[in-house]
Amino acid sequence: MKPLYGTETSKALSYLGPGQTPRPMIEALAQVKLAAILAQQETCSLYPAELFELLQEAAAKVISGELNEHFPLDLAQGGAGTSLHMNICEVLASYVNRAAECRAGQSPQERLDPLEHLARFQSTNDIFPTSVILMSYRFLERIEQQVIHLQEQLVKREQLYEQWLMCGRTEMQDALPITLGQVFGAWAGPIERDRWRLHKLKERLRTIPLGGTALGTGFSAPRAYVFAAERHLQRITGLPLCRSQNLCDQVAHVDNLAECARGMGLCADNLYKIASDLILYSSSFCREIRHHEVAYGSTIMPDKANPILLELIRGLAMECSSTADLIGLYARSGQLQLNANLPFLAEQMIRLASRLEKALTTASGPLMEALVPDRERLEANLTSSPALINTLRAALGYHGLKKLLPQIKAARISTVQELADWLEAHTELDRAFLDNWSSPVTLTTMKKDFR
């Protein structure tokens, strides 16, 4: 098909070079344009009936992705998104004019102009930011659901391993007993906070500058059109978007998008921490949670499995964190009444959301299946560490335990029960006390007195 874009898009191509507008951006922009078109027609009957029908058809095709090839501009562009706005205006107008000509068999008497018709009552400065907000809101919705799924997986394992004792560690040193369930429960904590943080971010992201036109003053846009455009966009998207009560602010500032990116970045930071913990637990030094072989770990060493899923998550998380920081830089670069770097910000938002979704789906799916705790190893590491002995301070005293440590280490004890038997034989502690002491509940929960 002959390109539907026109002169202004061709000019942009001459200095940007060929590329492709990302699909999420095209869809969001087309939905905002459709809302504007419907509002134009409702409030001032701008289009003849036949052309209006074709215009809705054209917008639907852009939204569905059928006309993606006619959007050849990368988001890395100057002009605050003007070239992309010109692009969609030209595509919609060209589609309608060609279709009308085919129907009539000759050049139609009435033709649509990309600017006189498709951009009336609109500016790039309210249309494009509204599109970026719409796109980002959808990203938040998807990511929120993936965070919920990961939280559910972690809570499931918190319950599954609630009786599995292991060694808790601080500053990379053995400390006190903990259950593996408590470890998974601790990981679920920040993910739960991510869940509610993302949910709250949606509330602050849903305000849009649609109707503010160039500066947020609403110049040239009839009040009836502005209200109608907002209503139609809500219906088209099914989202609780609402027009900002301070349109000059909404056009000039994009800190709401930076906040959205920071929320995603925090989620990535939490994934990084969890993956880092699991790399230690699965390492040759610890071997408490095995990472099944997903692929060969070496071209030279046959018996080597790498924690590639954990490394993938960490790598993606680092990229997400740096991208969130970059979005913050773009957000603060606005000057006076506009942020001209919004196309760059939008490009990075797409990258951030894509990488974070991949990290989350990897964590909640393949990773959870690949992790297999080794209960015997957990217990062996616990009993060979000072962690269990540290819990007896109240019963045997700080200095008394210090004297016993060399003997306990020399005994090479490998289970909790063996340690209880040794303590019964070598200290004043009786069997009733030791049976109570050695239970996971006693060792890992608060109590007034375990005697």
Side-chain angles (χ1 to χ4, degrees):
M1 180 189 292
K2 182 181 176 182
L4 290 172
Y5 56 79
T7 303
E8 292 305 313
T9 305
S10 296
K11 288 180 183 177
L13 278 172
S14 70
Y15 70 84
L16 289 175
Q20 176 63 54
T21 307
R23 172 84 192 109
M25 189 74 258
I26 297 173
E27 180 183 7
L29 181 59
Q31 289 186 318
V32 174
K33 290 298 290 184
L34 177 57
I37 290 164
L38 293 172
Q40 288 174 328
Q41 190 70 355
E42 177 185 323
T43 57
C44 64
S45 301
L46 183 61
Y47 307 101
E50 182 181 6
L51 297 188
F52 180 59
E53 177 187 342
L54 290 171
L55 192 49
Q56 292 180 84
E57 178 183 303
K61 285 182 177 291
V62 176
I63 292 169
S64 69
E66 294 179 55
L67 301 180
N68 282 355
E69 63 188 280
H70 301 284
F71 293 87
L73 304 179
D74 284 333
L75 276 173
Q77 56 180 263
T82 300
S83 295
L84 186 56
H85 190 200
M86 291 281 193
N87 187 180
I88 194 168
C89 288
E90 290 177 342
V91 167
L92 293 173
S94 295
Y95 181 95
V96 171
N97 293 335
R98 289 185 195 178
E101 184 174 348
C102 288
R103 284 187 181 183
Q106 58 184 358
S107 180
Q109 293 182 346
E110 296 181 277
R111 298 177 65 84
L112 295 188
D113 183 271
L115 297 178
E116 295 292 350
H117 296 102
L118 274 302
R120 188 174 296 188
F121 311 146
Q122 304 158 53
S123 165
T124 297
N125 301 352
D126 69 323
I127 292 292
F128 187 65
T130 299
S131 304
V132 176
I133 289 170
L134 170 56
M135 177 184 71
S136 301
Y137 192 100
R138 287 196 170 119
F139 289 154
L140 277 181
E141 283 194 316
R142 291 206 306 267
I143 290 169
E144 181 187 6
Q145 291 305 309
Q146 291 164 353
V147 165
I148 290 171
H149 183 52
L150 177 57
Q151 180 193 359
E152 290 170 346
Q153 293 297 312
L154 293 170
V155 170
K156 176 182 176 181
R157 284 157 179 79
E158 176 186 9
Q159 297 166 349
L160 182 63
Y161 303 127
E162 64 180 356
Q163 296 294 317
W164 288 38
L165 278 171
M166 63 179 294
C167 182
R169 301 170 177 94
T170 59
E171 299 178 79
M172 301 299 287
Q173 304 297 317
D174 298 341
L176 289 166
I178 193 171
T179 68
L180 183 58
Q182 288 171 321
V183 171
F184 273 96
W187 288 331
I191 302 303
E192 180 183 14
R193 289 191 290 278
D194 287 325
R195 173 182 180 174
W196 292 112
R197 186 181 295 118
L198 295 171
H199 182 73
K200 292 297 183 182
L201 282 173
K202 289 192 302 181
E203 179 65 26
R204 291 193 286 278
L205 190 63
R206 70 189 188 94
T207 56
I208 54 175
L210 187 60
T213 66
L215 299 177
T217 62
F219 174 75
S220 85
R223 183 179 294 272
Y225 157 82
V226 174
F227 292 153
E230 176 188 12
R231 185 178 71 255
H232 283 299
L233 187 59
Q234 290 170 344
R235 180 185 58 79
I236 290 166
T237 63
L239 299 177
L241 304 171
C242 65
R243 179 175 46 85
S244 172
Q245 298 304 302
N246 187 345
L247 287 170
C248 291
D249 163 41
Q250 194 81 37
V251 169
H253 305 119
V254 293
D255 55 291
N256 56 339
L257 291 167
E259 184 182 27
C260 171
R262 295 292 186 191
M264 293 185 195
L266 283 172
C267 181
D269 291 343
N270 289 330
L271 287 176
Y272 182 92
K273 197 276 180 181
I274 292 170
S276 295
D277 287 350
L278 282 165
I279 283 177
L280 289 174
Y281 284 131
S282 64
S283 69
S284 299
F285 310 110
C286 199
R287 296 180 180 175
E288 293 177 345
I289 302 177
R290 296 196 308 276
H291 183 302
H292 271 342
E293 182 180 87
V294 178
Y296 286 176
S298 172
T299 57
I300 193 172
M301 295 168 285
D303 190 13
K304 187 174 188 291
N306 296 327
I308 58 175
L309 296 177
L310 294 169
E311 291 167 347
L312 171 63
I313 291 168
R314 287 213 310 179
L316 291 169
M318 285 188 280
E319 186 177 354
C320 288
S321 295
S322 63
T323 304
D325 289 341
L326 180 56
I327 288 173
L329 290 175
Y330 284 135
R332 77 186 191 198
S333 69
Q335 294 175 299
L336 304 180
Q337 280 71 56
L338 185 66
N339 190 316
N341 280 322
L342 188 55
F344 291 92
L345 188 155
E347 181 179 47
Q348 296 306 316
M349 188 70 79
I350 294 170
R351 177 186 174 195
L352 170 57
S354 172
R355 293 294 192 267
L356 184 54
E357 285 187 69
K358 186 173 183 179
L360 284 164
T361 53
T362 301
S364 62
L367 177 63
M368 289 298 147
E369 295 174 5
L371 296 177
V372 181
D374 185 335
R375 192 168 191 174
E376 290 185 2
R377 183 75 180 190
L378 288 166
E379 186 173 12
N381 284 354
L382 173 62
T383 54
S384 64
S385 77
L388 274 176
I389 304 303
N390 286 338
T391 65
L392 292 167
R393 177 183 174 179
L396 297 174
Y398 190 100
H399 299 294
L401 281 176
K402 277 286 190 181
K403 292 178 181 179
L404 285 174
L405 285 177
Q407 301 174 52
I408 294 173
K409 291 178 181 178
R412 298 185 177 275
I413 295 166
S414 60
T415 69
V416 176
Q417 188 57 52
E418 287 180 11
L419 178 59
D421 292 342
W422 189 94
L423 289 169
E424 183 181 18
H426 295 83
T427 69
E428 61 187 25
L429 301 177
D430 59 32
R431 176 52 58 180
F433 170 85
L434 290 168
D435 286 344
N436 178 58
W437 162 79
S438 62
S439 74
V441 173
T442 303
L443 288 170
T444 61
T445 57
M446 291 181 286
K447 74 281 297 177
K448 292 181 179 179
D449 183 4
F450 55 74
R451 265 195 174 278

